[in-house]
Amino acid sequence: MPDAAYGVRMRVLVSGGAGFIGSHTVIQLIAAGHDVLIVDNFANAKPTVIGRLESIIGGHLQVHAFDLRDADQTERLFAHERIDAVIHFAGHKAVGQSIKQPLAYYENNLGSTFVLVAAMARHGVSKLVFSSSATVYGANATVPMKEDFPTSATNPYGWTKVMIEQILCDVAVAQPSWRIALMRYFNPVGAHASGTIGEDPSGVPNNLLPYICQVAVGRLEKLRIFGDDYDTPDGTPLRDYIHVEDLAAGHVAALARLTSTDRAVSTWNLGTGTGTSVFNMLHAFERAVGRELPYEVVGRRTGDIAASYADPGRANAELGWTATRTIDDMCVDAWRWQSQNPNGYPDA
Ligand code: UFG
């Protein structure tokens, strides 16, 4: 049945739907009139997120708790359910861990994609939105980054994204009726406006905003700023922070676009187009919390680049989508989530 705002209504399988970006996307898919099924192995997500999602959407969610690498379970899911499209978020995403455990990263991220795509092909499901990353622009790209830049990576996690993009392009050559979207995210932050859904990393956070959140809530002593001697206005690196709600909206728009495009593979940057420094992000968060936060400047982190921000022009033009939330919005929403859930999601 057509929906005025978002085109054709679909039954969408969301892999990794219990995760940070997946959970926010589930909410917006349902708000846009789509039907959603989640598949998640809960390796990096707590089952309690599901109840919170159900409170927000005011309904029941169909959740399949298994690992996509389980080919039998994946086949059964596609055999028993009508699925019109897949959004594939599931995957490991910690850069440092991927360097220590490369085989586990390749095995998990590529293996789950092979099983998923093979099941889609067997069951005639030909629309796929893939959760890629700006990390595919590698270490030497100029800014702003554009979709036609060459791809490369600096760590196994990044290579899994480069490789899966390549694999999906090859699938599209073999099966030209497929419609595939490669979504290259910049730095997703923020949380749902309710404060009940947000980012809940396991262990000590690697990323800037979750780390600042835990300093603000007293779980960590102080922020360590990894270098202030970069060639940037205040010496700290520039990143394109994008509100997870804007990112989620980009997926809904991409799904709609896949129903009308003639291109087998579409690549879209999801970013704001603006680079924000570490100091600017810290100060925005301090405004949200209403007090100064402790920090110290330490040495550079291996692998960090000075500047990474998107040219979001293609997504703006082709998806009719623009990121609208400001850095202050991102910090206010992240702080609402963290202050209401100082220890993240409860275990039960
Ligand atoms: N930073 C600190 N202290 C911290 C954490 C981060 O100073 O405790 C700094 C980093 O040095 C960097 C900036 O904050 O300058 C942002 O770092 P993040 O780790 O939050 O984000 P990255 O840009 O390094 O990494 C993100 C994603 C990766 C992805 C990469 C490139 O987390 O998955 O963007 O797209 F690969």
Side-chain angles (χ1 to χ4, degrees):
M1 189 198 290
D3 175 286
Y6 294 103
V8 182
R9 290 187 177 181
M10 285 182 262
R11 195 143 197 265
V12 186
L13 177 67
V14 181
S15 82
F20 174 45
I21 303 171
S23 58
H24 288 81
T25 302
V26 163
I27 295 167
Q28 293 202 22
L29 286 167
I30 289 168
H34 297 297
D35 209 6
V36 168
L37 300 85
I38 290 175
V39 59
D40 202 302
N41 68 359
F42 293 94
N44 196 26
K46 295 260 179 75
T48 46
V49 70
I50 300 299
R52 295 193 175 191
L53 280 173
E54 289 179 331
S55 297
I56 291 170
I57 64 169
H60 174 70
L61 273 171
Q62 191 181 130
V63 180
H64 299 269
F66 66 84
D67 193 309
L68 282 174
R69 288 174 296 171
D70 183 331
D72 291 340
Q73 294 220 60
T74 302
E75 167 58 25
R76 270 201 295 279
L77 178 64
F78 277 83
H80 289 133
E81 299 289 345
R82 195 196 97 214
I83 296 170
D84 301 312
V86 175
I87 305 185
H88 182 33
F89 292 106
H92 291 337
K93 60 170 187 178
V95 172
Q97 203 188 4
S98 81
I99 295 168
K100 292 191 187 117
Q101 301 167 9
L103 291 180
Y105 267 66
Y106 288 115
E107 215 283 318
N108 183 70
N109 290 8
L110 272 64
S112 57
T113 305
F114 291 146
V115 172
L116 176 66
V117 173
M120 289 176 66
R122 273 196 304 276
H123 293 276
V125 182
S126 57
K127 288 186 204 60
L128 174 63
V129 178
F130 174 60
S131 171
S132 189
S133 166
T135 198
V136 302
Y137 293 117
N140 299 312
T142 54
V143 283
M145 295 165 171
K146 294 170 87 88
E147 289 88 346
D148 57 5
F149 283 11
T151 58
S152 71
T154 56
N155 56 72
Y157 157 76
W159 281 116
T160 68
K161 296 296 182 189
V162 174
M163 288 176 184
I164 293 170
E165 285 199 359
Q166 182 61 49
I167 290 162
L168 295 177
C169 289
D170 294 340
V171 167
V173 170
Q175 314 201 41
S177 63
W178 279 50
R179 293 293 176 267
I180 296 172
L182 308 177
M183 313 303 288
R184 294 182 179 162
Y185 315 149
F186 283 72
N187 290 63
V189 297
H192 189 258
S194 65
T196 61
I197 302 283
E199 188 168 11
D200 182 18
S202 50
V204 177
N206 300 306
N207 299 117
L208 180 64
L209 243 280
Y211 202 103
I212 296 177
C213 279
Q214 293 198 12
V215 172
V217 87
R219 283 170 68 182
L220 293 167
E221 187 197 342
K222 62 184 165 191
L223 174 66
R224 290 177 308 136
I225 294 181
F226 298 136
D228 64 353
D229 56 352
Y230 286 89
D231 184 16
T232 59
D234 66 17
T236 62
L238 303 177
R239 293 290 181 274
D240 189 341
Y241 300 95
I242 175 170
H243 198 298
V244 65
E245 295 266 43
D246 282 328
L247 201 69
H251 290 76
V252 179
L255 199 57
R257 190 78 181 92
L258 289 190
T259 64
S260 64
T261 184
D262 292 333
R263 267 196 319 249
V265 179
S266 303
T267 307
W268 289 301
N269 281 341
L270 293 183
T272 66
T274 303
T276 300
S277 76
V278 176
F279 276 124
N280 283 339
M281 207 59 187
L282 174 64
H283 296 323
F285 206 86
E286 289 174 334
R287 286 195 292 279
V289 179
R291 62 188 151 88
E292 291 189 2
L293 296 172
Y295 73 87
E296 71 171 316
V297 177
V298 299
R300 290 184 178 196
R301 182 172 67 177
T302 310
D304 276 348
I305 56 175
S308 165
Y309 52 90
D311 178 341
R314 186 191 283 179
N316 298 160
E318 295 184 357
L319 300 179
W321 166 91
T322 309
T324 58
R325 277 95 168 170
T326 65
I327 291 292
D328 285 286
D329 296 334
M330 300 175 208
C331 291
V332 165
D333 288 340
W335 178 235
R336 187 183 302 109
W337 151 254
Q338 193 71 65
S339 53
Q340 288 180 17
N341 302 273
N343 295 309
Y345 291 108
D347 285 327

